[in-house]
Amino acid sequence: MTAGTVADGTRSRLLATALTLFSEHGVEGTSLQMIAAELGVTKAAVYYHFKTKDEITEAVAAPALRELDAVIDEALAQRSRGAQIDHALAGFADLVVQHRALVALFNSDPGIMRAIDRSLSGNENLMTRLMTILVGPEPDFADRITVHVVLVGLAMAGGAVEYRDIDDDTLRGQLIEVGRKLLGRRRKRAPANQNS
Amino acid sequence: MTAGTVADGTRSRLLATALTLFSEHGVEGTSLQMIAAELGVTKAAVYYHFKTKDEITEAVAAPALRELDAVIDEALAQRSRGAQIDHALAGFADLVVQHRALVALFNSDPGIMRAIDRSLSGNENLMTRLMTILVGPEPDFADRITVHVVLVGLAMAGGAVEYRDIDDDTLRGQLIEVGRKLLGRRRKRAPANQNS
């Protein structure tokens, strides 16, 4: 094991710890000192990886945003409009479910959104690209409201504490169903059993 | 004009001022002193009406919650299930649009939700009653997700800063349309012109 992999391990433990503390105390209510104490390291060890809390906040959110970017690229690679919508919707629902703790934090703590708005200027672009896939390049007001309700509604429901005990597949399936209804995509039929 | 009506006038100016300051600085970031200064009165004058910021927060939200309660009563007085759903949905969309500034505050500041959760125990009951109208008394998981997306989605979209310049009727109409789609209610046809 090299020094690099040790540092990488600390870095990801640090981000996981930061997410937990952010969820418990909010971004504003969490200090670098608290993160260091929870990890059992010195504040200097935290500073080795991140100079400010904003950098940590950004790094906590970055993997999910990168995955969303990849989902959008994959969706755009689909041939038909329908397949693009389906891919983007399923990918978005999947990300919401996979990153529930982060999504819950987005939903409840304006601090993390402000930190991300400040630092990731590509973020708005991400949402514009997603909207273009879901309702086309020239959305009217009805389209914009629909996409707004789909994205925010799925994120808020997916991150909601009342569904914490619902398993990933069930939650993802239901989020996709709601999104399909709103986007006017037909309900996917259960695969028919050819032998019955 | 009696002393009572003077006090009532101050009280409603105080609540309007509090909502403005809450919107600008968050509930946590607003002090009784700031409210007094903005109103041009002494802190004692604020204390005459409210002993704590929580009482002010509660009073800022109370009218909208009372109106929602009334909407639910009116919806329950409708004869058919369909008419009940339509009334509740239209009433909810109307409240969101009428109280946009408050709704935006709900959406962006967990402080106000915490204050209201603490103080208005009837609030959960309100949401349960609304859910019962929209999807019936024994909602399954799919129903719960649908209602969650309808209520949160409409509130988040209705309070969103990007639609601040959209007029009330247009915004309300589109919110209702989205809700009808999700709840499986048919699109209302535009009234036909009998003479054409």
Side-chain angles (χ1 to χ4, degrees):
Chain A
M1 193 184 273
T2 67
T5 61
V6 173
D8 285 352
T10 308
R11 190 178 188 278
S12 50
R13 279 204 306 136
L14 196 158
L15 293 179
T17 301
L19 177 55
T20 306
L21 291 173
F22 287 168
S23 301
E24 284 166 14
H25 309 284
V27 175
E28 317 285 346
T30 302
S31 64
L32 293 190
Q33 180 55 55
M34 285 162 74
I35 296 171
E38 184 71 24
L39 273 170
V41 303
T42 62
K43 215 170 148 187
V46 173
Y47 272 121
Y48 173 80
H49 294 279
F50 300 103
K51 293 294 165 271
T52 63
K53 198 168 61 179
D54 275 1
E55 283 183 25
I56 298 182
T57 311
E58 221 182 295
V60 163
L65 295 173
R66 265 200 306 272
E67 288 173 49
L68 182 57
D69 198 48
V71 161
I72 292 171
D73 283 342
E74 288 161 17
L76 286 170
Q78 306 297 311
R79 286 204 159 179
S80 69
R81 281 276 302 129
Q84 291 190 349
I85 295 173
D86 289 349
H87 193 95
L89 184 60
F92 183 77
D94 198 41
L95 282 179
V96 165
V97 172
Q98 296 293 331
H99 295 276
R100 286 194 216 191
L102 179 65
V103 171
L105 188 62
F106 278 136
N107 295 347
S108 68
D109 194 327
I112 192 163
M113 285 312 289
R114 275 196 293 269
I116 290 170
D117 278 351
R118 269 198 305 272
S119 53
L120 290 181
S121 58
N123 215 13
E124 198 188 351
N125 189 16
L126 216 57
M127 286 303 144
T128 309
R129 289 174 69 208
L130 198 49
M131 181 179 295
T132 303
I133 294 176
L134 295 179
V135 290
E138 288 178 356
D140 62 15
F141 176 62
D143 293 331
R144 285 165 62 209
I145 290 281
T146 297
V147 171
H148 199 116
V149 173
V150 170
L151 299 182
V152 172
L154 263 54
M156 295 292 288
V161 66
E162 47 270 57
Y163 312 126
R164 201 162 34 187
D165 297 333
I166 303 287
D167 69 274
D168 285 3
D169 283 349
T170 306
L171 183 58
R172 177 176 39 233
Q174 206 50 52
L175 294 179
I176 292 173
E177 219 34 75
V178 164
R180 293 179 69 80
K181 233 187 238 174
L182 269 177
L183 294 165
R185 301 282 304 151
R186 225 169 305 166
R187 195 192 176 92
K188 279 203 172 151
R189 268 186 276 170
N193 186 337
Q194 304 279 340
N195 299 321
S196 68
Chain B
M1 191 184 275
T2 67
T5 60
V6 172
D8 285 352
T10 309
R11 190 178 188 277
S12 51
R13 278 205 307 137
L14 196 160
L15 292 179
T17 302
L19 177 56
T20 306
L21 290 173
F22 288 168
S23 300
E24 284 167 14
H25 308 286
V27 174
E28 317 283 346
T30 303
S31 63
L32 293 190
Q33 180 56 56
M34 286 162 75
I35 297 171
E38 184 71 25
L39 273 170
V41 303
T42 62
K43 215 171 149 187
V46 173
Y47 272 122
Y48 173 80
H49 294 279
F50 300 102
K51 293 294 164 270
T52 64
K53 198 168 61 179
D54 275 1
E55 282 182 26
I56 298 181
T57 311
E58 221 183 295
V60 163
L65 295 173
R66 266 201 306 272
E67 287 174 50
L68 182 56
D69 198 47
V71 161
I72 292 172
D73 284 340
E74 287 160 17
L76 286 171
Q78 307 296 312
R79 285 202 161 180
S80 70
R81 281 276 301 128
Q84 291 190 350
I85 295 172
D86 289 349
H87 193 95
L89 185 60
F92 183 77
D94 198 42
L95 282 178
V96 165
V97 172
Q98 295 294 331
H99 296 275
R100 286 194 215 189
L102 179 65
V103 171
L105 187 62
F106 278 136
N107 295 347
S108 68
D109 193 328
I112 192 165
M113 285 311 288
R114 273 195 293 270
I116 290 170
D117 278 351
R118 269 199 304 272
S119 52
L120 290 180
S121 58
N123 215 13
E124 200 189 348
N125 188 17
L126 215 58
M127 285 303 143
T128 310
R129 288 174 71 207
L130 198 50
M131 181 179 295
T132 303
I133 293 176
L134 295 178
V135 291
E138 288 179 357
D140 62 16
F141 176 62
D143 293 330
R144 286 164 62 208
I145 290 283
T146 298
V147 171
H148 199 116
V149 173
V150 170
L151 299 182
V152 172
L154 263 54
M156 296 292 288
V161 66
E162 46 269 59
Y163 312 126
R164 201 161 33 188
D165 296 333
I166 303 287
D167 69 274
D168 285 3
D169 282 349
T170 306
L171 183 58
R172 179 177 38 233
Q174 207 48 52
L175 294 179
I176 292 173
E177 218 32 75
V178 164
R180 292 180 69 83
K181 233 186 237 174
L182 270 178
L183 293 165
R185 302 280 305 150
R186 225 168 305 165
R187 196 189 176 95
K188 280 203 173 149
R189 269 186 275 170
N193 185 339
Q194 302 281 341
N195 299 322
S196 70

